Amino acid sequence: MQISRTTGGTFYRAQDHSQLSRALAHLPTAFTIVRKHVDLAAWFAAGGGLLIAAAVALSLWWNRARRRPAPATGADP
C-alpha cells in the first residue's frame, strides 16, 4: 500500500475470489506502456574504438625493439 502511494499507483486488497476478480478486471485499463528509444550505436562505437586502441598498443608492444643482453665476459670475480 505504501509503494502505491509513493509511486502514484493504485492498491487493491482482495480477500476472496470475487474481490480478486474485480481487481484483476481493472488491471488492463490501469497499465500505460511507455516506449523509450535508446541509441546504442555510440556505445558500440566506443567499445570498438577501445578494442582498436588495445590492439594497436599490444601490436606496438609485441613488435618493440628488444635489447640483446651484453655478452658475458670470461672471467668471474
Side-chain angles (χ1 to χ4, degrees), residues 47-60:
L50 286 175
L51 287 175
I52 290 171
V56 168
L58 287 172
S59 173
L60 291 173

Side-chain angles (χ1 to χ4, degrees), residues 5-69:
R5 264 190 260 134
T6 304
T7 60
T10 306
F11 176 77
Y12 296 102
R13 182 182 305 268
Q15 295 179 349
D16 60 7
H17 174 70
S18 63
Q19 289 178 349
L20 181 61
S21 294
R22 283 194 303 266
L24 292 176
H26 288 33
L27 285 181
T29 61
F31 284 110
T32 302
I33 297 175
V34 177
R35 296 185 190 265
K36 183 177 179 183
H37 177 72
V38 178
D39 188 19
L40 298 178
W43 290 104
F44 282 109
L50 286 175
L51 287 175
I52 290 171
V56 168
L58 287 172
S59 173
L60 291 173
W61 178 76
W62 187 265
N63 294 317
R64 70 188 185 278
R66 293 179 180 90
R67 292 186 193 171
R68 295 186 181 256

